[in-house]
Amino acid sequence: MSNADWDAVRHESELRPSSLADVGFIHLSTPQQVHLPANRFYSGEHDLLALHVEPTRLDAEIRWEPGVAGDPESMLFPHLYGPLPLSAVVDVTSYPQQADGTFAPFDESGT
């Protein structure tokens, strides 16, 4: 999510991105897989933020489902089948590109 997008919604009670209406769920990622969609959809963006979500604070169902062609076959992504309550967002951090312009997975500490 960009800084501008976060600024626009951070005082709302929940997040309802277009994917919720388009495909019925919100795309989420684990720290170890977040680089895959970031590189696919946000290449060249310099102001990305990572929203850190506490799953126990979610009201809607999470289903672990395959990603897209090109993702590792055994990798399943968490899809949230409902809005994301902003009370479940426990941290927001910068997600900068590396020197080569790509995004890396978060390390084990989530940063």
Side-chain angles (χ1 to χ4, degrees):
M1 171 172 276
S2 71
N3 277 300
D5 289 343
W6 176 245
D7 284 342
V9 300
R10 69 182 194 184
H11 298 294
E12 303 293 326
S13 62
E14 60 188 20
L15 181 62
R16 291 179 167 269
S18 61
S19 69
L20 188 55
D22 295 343
V23 295
F25 59 84
I26 298 172
H27 298 270
L28 302 177
S29 300
T30 67
Q32 297 77 27
Q33 62 190 189
V34 69
H35 66 291
L36 296 169
N39 285 314
R40 189 176 300 120
F41 299 116
Y42 301 103
S43 178
E45 294 207 22
H46 301 285
D47 70 338
L48 285 187
L49 299 173
L51 305 183
H52 302 261
V53 175
E54 172 52 53
T56 61
R57 295 185 183 181
L58 299 173
D59 299 324
E61 176 185 11
I62 293 178
R63 296 182 199 161
W64 290 82
E65 300 173 317
V68 298
D71 289 341
E73 278 189 42
S74 62
M75 185 175 285
L76 299 178
F77 288 82
H79 294 156
L80 178 63
Y81 280 81
L84 172 64
L86 292 190
S87 60
V89 177
V90 295
D91 198 10
V92 179
T93 59
S94 176
Y95 189 28
Q97 292 178 331
Q98 301 177 103
D100 68 358
T102 63
F103 294 96
F106 279 79
D107 64 30
E108 291 301 314
S109 66
T111 59

